[in-house]
Amino acid sequence: MTVYVLVGTQWGDEGKGKITDILAEGTDYVVRYQGGNNAGHTVCVGESTFKLHLIPSGILYDSCCSVIANGVVLDPAVILQEMETLRAQGISVNPSKLKISSIANVILPLHRQLDSKQEAKRHQEKIGTTGKGIGPAYMHKVARTGIRVQDLLKKETLKKKLLRQNWGEVYSESDYDIDQVVDEYHGYGMQLKPYVVDSSLFINEAINAGKSVIMEGAQGTLLDVDHGTYPYVTSSNPVAGAACVGAGVGPHKIEKVIGVTKAYLTRVGEGPFTTELHDEFGELLRKKGGEFGTTTGRPRRCGWLDLVVLKYAIRVNGITEICLTKLDVLDGLESIKVCTHYKTVDGELLDEFPLDLDVYSSCEPVYEALPGWSEDISQMTDFSELPASAKAYVEYIASYTGVQIKMVSVGTRRRQTIHLITR
Ligand code: IMP
């Protein structure tokens, strides 16, 4: 039995899709436990590029079953579209390869409209949401007025539960036709029915049968609604502990927590970002790293790697090993900075992430400059091949954090991956 949780250690977009794809080879199940189609994974296989929002990248392997567990908020039209797109790209998507939790909450048109209305009302304090209705769907879940996947299967129940929600917040009575929504969403439910299961039972039976399972978090630690830079966060818990809740699996079943860390840092949407670069280096990282949102197409804000953030992520997730991604993007830089501390306005040096957003926002980054390398590392497949300063960069991160780096990704393709690095 191997049960791993895989999490992003930054503000999302760390390259989790590629790492899940690499690990999924030989893994029996890949499980999504939170978030929704606000996430975006780009996975490159051969000549094909797959853009996934809801379905785990395990779907690309015939021997792997992908599970969308109870903690996810599911937009049924989006998942049906994603299934079709995958089929059109030659990937088989059938009920033995994809399972959907019967108790995952559903995103409705109401939620998408509320998302943009709430954002418009925020004036000064915009979050920069993806506009996919994620926050409002979780709002209804916690308010206990949500619609769950199993409700889509029963027309009368669906109508009764829809009427319970406060549609007046978005629509006036004459603006919507509830029967039309019931028909549309019941229709989606019937299409999804063959895939719907008790996902906790399904996953636990697999674990008990000795199968291997990866539980994949979407977004990243700093976007966690509890542990992130609140309120500039998403509305779910990407941290590893949430895998237990979001998939209905006991904590003692989890063996390893893998943190995925980009060799530099990015953020989409609003909120403070200490190591953000507004100069030509930021532009270079954005261009070379292709740092544009998979879901919204927005340019990502870019900056140097922040080890204070990484140390914090290691603590709140209990990370046991790190996969470092996009190291090749740093090729050709004379010098590379890493943030090791923050300096407060009072001149105090911090090496722990401050939970007070006012403190964090006003901190200056304290950098260590490490030598860069001029070589193109994108075709290197063994750690020993890397230039000395690239090795030193990886080893610096391992020694600062005290956590092993098990994989370094040097390109988008599966083969552009170096395994088993530091001790
Ligand atoms: P929401 O999740 O759409 O409510 O957006 C809340 C915040 O999380 C915004 O700053 C988004 O840009 C950010 N966000 C949501 N999903 C992702 C992701 O997959 N990668 C990076 N940022 C994300």
Side-chain angles (χ1 to χ4, degrees):
M1 172 188 95
T2 54
V3 183
Y4 301 163
V5 181
L6 187 131
V7 291
T9 64
Q10 298 161 332
W11 275 285
D13 309 314
E14 295 91 352
K16 295 180 294 293
K18 173 179 167 176
I19 304 299
T20 306
D21 173 60
I22 299 275
L23 297 174
E25 187 173 22
T27 294
D28 301 307
Y29 298 86
V30 179
V31 179
R32 261 290 294 273
Y33 59 83
Q34 47 71 231
N37 56 308
N38 48 350
H41 290 157
T42 305
V43 183
C44 301
V45 183
E47 293 309 301
S48 308
T49 299
F50 299 92
K51 287 192 188 296
L52 301 161
H53 296 285
L54 270 165
I55 303 179
S57 42
I59 198 78
L60 304 179
Y61 290 98
D62 276 338
S63 57
C64 184
C65 176
S66 293
V67 183
I68 296 180
N70 57 278
V72 170
V73 282
L74 184 94
D75 188 322
V78 170
I79 194 163
L80 285 164
Q81 180 60 55
E82 202 162 300
M83 288 156 76
E84 272 321 300
T85 308
L86 282 168
R87 286 189 188 113
Q89 289 186 280
I91 304 296
S92 81
V93 183
N94 57 56
S96 66
K97 275 189 70 188
L98 178 65
K99 307 284 180 191
I100 299 170
S101 165
S102 58
I103 57 167
N105 272 246
V106 173
I107 300 178
L108 298 161
L110 160 85
H111 296 131
R112 284 191 297 273
Q113 300 216 20
L114 262 176
D115 202 351
S116 52
K117 284 205 169 189
Q118 288 173 342
E119 190 71 347
K121 272 199 252 163
R122 282 187 194 110
H123 304 297
Q124 304 300 322
E125 280 208 324
K126 290 204 186 303
I127 291 170
T129 73
T130 58
K132 304 292 178 191
I134 308 297
Y138 277 115
M139 222 172 69
H140 273 145
K141 171 178 173 171
V142 177
R144 293 155 293 182
T145 53
I147 305 291
R148 311 214 278 188
V149 168
Q150 63 193 11
D151 301 326
L152 301 180
L153 306 178
K154 292 177 277 179
K155 241 179 166 174
E156 280 315 303
T157 311
L158 179 58
K159 182 165 181 179
K160 198 171 78 197
K161 293 194 174 180
L162 277 174
L163 287 169
R164 235 170 36 189
Q165 293 182 337
N166 185 5
W167 288 66
E169 279 177 68
V170 180
Y171 304 106
S172 67
E173 285 291 319
S174 55
D175 266 352
Y176 70 93
D177 176 351
I178 191 136
D179 290 316
Q180 190 259 318
V181 177
V182 170
D183 283 345
E184 183 182 343
Y185 279 75
H186 176 64
Y188 294 143
M190 295 319 284
Q191 289 181 68
L192 293 174
K193 193 174 175 189
Y195 301 86
V196 177
V197 294
D198 172 342
S199 59
S200 163
L201 180 63
F202 182 76
I203 299 163
N204 278 281
E205 280 178 351
I207 294 172
N208 294 341
K211 302 289 184 190
S212 50
V213 179
I214 298 174
M215 303 211 269
E216 172 194 50
Q219 290 85 45
T221 305
L222 273 290
L223 285 173
D224 187 280
V225 68
D226 283 272
H227 300 285
T229 45
Y230 189 91
Y232 302 100
V233 291
T234 193
S235 299
S236 65
N237 293 107
V239 295
C244 297
V245 183
V249 170
H252 64 294
K253 300 270 168 78
I254 294 165
E255 244 174 272
K256 283 187 191 173
V257 180
I258 302 170
V260 183
T261 303
K262 190 147 57 182
Y264 50 96
L265 198 49
T266 60
R267 171 163 210 171
V268 219
E270 305 303 319
F273 174 2
T274 306
T275 62
E276 183 169 9
L277 291 166
H278 298 282
D279 56 10
E280 74 274 22
F281 286 115
E283 197 48 41
L284 187 125
L285 294 174
R286 183 157 39 249
K287 283 220 179 90
K288 263 188 97 179
E291 297 296 353
F292 297 89
T294 313
T295 302
T296 59
R298 289 180 286 181
R300 295 179 185 141
R301 300 156 62 193
C302 297
W304 298 121
L305 180 65
D306 185 336
L307 293 176
V308 183
V309 160
L310 181 54
K311 183 173 155 187
Y312 174 66
I314 288 168
R315 166 160 53 89
V316 298
N317 289 291
I319 287 170
T320 53
E321 58 192 70
I322 292 172
C323 296
L324 191 69
T325 61
K326 291 192 145 183
L327 187 64
D328 56 301
V329 174
L330 302 180
D331 287 356
L333 292 176
E334 214 169 284
S335 158
I336 302 167
K337 288 185 183 170
V338 284
C339 171
T340 57
H341 295 81
Y342 299 152
K343 193 171 182 182
T344 68
V345 282
D346 303 326
E348 193 190 345
L349 274 190
L350 305 180
D351 66 353
E352 291 291 349
F353 189 79
L355 295 185
D356 182 335
L357 201 69
D358 291 336
V359 174
Y360 173 64
S361 309
S362 58
C363 279
E364 290 290 324
V366 177
Y367 288 118
E368 171 109 20
L370 303 174
W373 55 92
S374 54
E375 294 88 332
D376 170 359
I377 64 167
S378 65
Q379 304 308 318
M380 300 182 181
T381 51
D382 196 282
F383 191 56
S384 62
E385 288 176 65
L386 286 178
S389 9
K391 279 189 211 150
Y393 187 69
V394 174
E395 273 158 359
Y396 187 93
I397 299 166
S399 102
Y400 180 99
T401 58
V403 176
Q404 277 189 318
I405 298 189
K406 278 294 185 82
M407 207 189 277
V408 173
S409 169
V410 292
T412 52
R413 308 278 150 189
R414 283 176 178 166
R415 65 181 154 72
Q416 292 174 296
T417 310
I418 301 174
H419 293 272
L420 281 172
I421 321 293
T422 61
R423 272 174 291 141

